[in-house]
Amino acid sequence: MRILLVEDEKQLVTEVKTFLESEGYICDLAFTLLDASKKLADSPFDFILLDLGLPDGDGLDLLPEIAKYQDGSSIIILTARTEVDDKVKGLQEGADDYLSKPFSFLELKARMHAILRRKSGLKKDQIQLQGFTIDLSGKSVFFGEEEIKLTAKEFSLLQFLLINKNRVLNRFQLAEHLWGDHLDDDYQSNYIDVHIKNIRKKLGVHNSINWLETVRGLGYKVKI
């Protein structure tokens, strides 16, 4: 999952980036409104973590650009401001949530998962599918009491398909999610197909995974 962190406090940026990457996220950085504006126009992001007090203006001014270029992305405002009006304005103009500084990284993670659940229609982090328990927060898969070992990339791919359940995702969307950059088209397709094959092999030993579908000529989807 790709995240844009818009923040000018260098120490906080380092700490948040380190935490997010340890959780398997791809984290891009912007320290100013101008820098953020360029990145928003160039690349898709799943989450945007947006500071309000930036060197060249108010982070709230980016919300119209996010709405224009980042359809479907989720926004969490990071702010040291205590004014209720700023928070209300941010939520009214498209932000999904806000966190007041200083904040716990574990709370940030929990807020992100809550937003993903709400937008994807999932009621909780643990999903039950034909005997499988898939824990999105714990990044684990079980069949009954037995844990099924997936690589970080395999789990990330499965998680992304689950979050976008009943929606067909093409190989390039899936590759963007996994690697966060534009690789050679054949490289993307081949590696996505290999990851899907491995997921099916590891889970299929235990039970049918007919809910992980190949949509010929288009891509893959999880049907729930």
Side-chain angles (χ1 to χ4, degrees):
M1 191 169 298
R2 193 170 188 181
I3 298 172
L4 177 62
L5 173 58
V6 186
E7 170 64 66
D8 66 319
E9 294 182 33
K10 299 295 177 65
Q11 182 62 36
L12 180 59
V13 165
T14 300
E15 293 174 356
V16 172
K17 184 174 186 291
T18 299
F19 172 76
L20 291 173
E21 290 180 342
S22 74
E23 291 292 318
Y25 297 111
I26 298 163
C27 190
D28 288 14
L29 306 177
F31 298 98
T32 65
L33 285 177
L34 181 60
D35 190 18
S37 183
K38 291 177 180 176
K39 295 192 179 218
L40 289 170
D42 288 343
S43 303
F45 295 96
D46 300 294
F47 264 95
I48 298 162
L49 307 181
L50 179 61
D51 182 32
L52 297 188
L54 296 167
D56 53 346
D58 192 327
L60 291 175
D61 294 337
L62 280 176
L63 292 176
E65 291 184 56
I66 294 172
K68 179 179 179 180
Y69 294 115
Q70 300 289 325
D71 183 36
S73 65
S74 300
I75 307 164
I76 297 180
I77 290 174
L78 309 177
T79 179
R81 299 179 186 176
T82 57
E83 292 84 352
V84 172
D85 288 347
D86 284 331
K87 297 173 182 176
V88 170
K89 182 180 179 183
L91 295 171
Q92 287 177 335
E93 293 188 11
D96 296 279
D97 204 348
Y98 70 87
L99 272 175
S100 297
K101 298 178 183 177
F103 55 85
S104 159
F105 296 157
L106 292 178
E107 182 180 4
L108 172 61
K109 177 184 174 182
R111 298 279 186 109
M112 291 170 66
H113 275 280
I115 291 169
L116 289 175
R117 286 199 308 272
R118 184 170 70 246
K119 288 193 169 184
S120 62
L122 299 173
K123 295 182 179 180
K124 53 187 179 180
D125 277 343
Q126 288 194 346
I127 299 169
Q128 306 289 333
L129 279 173
Q130 295 181 202
F132 296 101
T133 300
I134 304 161
D135 187 339
L136 300 182
S137 180
K139 298 184 179 180
S140 59
V141 181
F142 285 84
F143 185 77
E145 299 295 321
E146 183 178 351
E147 183 173 7
I148 303 168
K149 297 292 186 181
L150 298 182
T151 68
K153 293 296 186 189
E154 289 165 1
F155 186 87
S156 182
L157 181 58
L158 179 59
Q159 179 187 50
F160 193 53
L161 286 163
L162 284 164
I163 289 170
N164 291 278
K165 61 183 172 59
N166 302 319
R167 173 187 170 198
V168 179
L169 299 177
N170 64 44
R171 290 170 176 83
F172 307 112
Q173 289 172 305
L174 296 170
E176 180 74 22
H177 168 72
L178 286 184
W179 288 287
D181 53 13
H182 300 284
L183 303 173
D184 176 78
D185 289 353
D186 290 337
Y187 179 95
Q188 290 178 330
S189 296
N190 291 340
Y191 270 75
I192 293 300
D193 291 342
V194 168
H195 285 315
I196 292 290
K197 181 179 179 180
N198 288 340
I199 292 169
R200 283 177 167 152
K201 182 178 180 180
K202 291 177 180 181
L203 273 62
V205 169
H206 302 275
N207 201 1
S208 168
I209 52 167
N210 53 17
W211 42 268
L212 177 53
E213 297 185 349
T214 298
V215 183
R216 189 172 298 278
L218 294 175
Y220 298 97
K221 75 173 180 178
V222 164
K223 185 177 180 180
I224 301 178

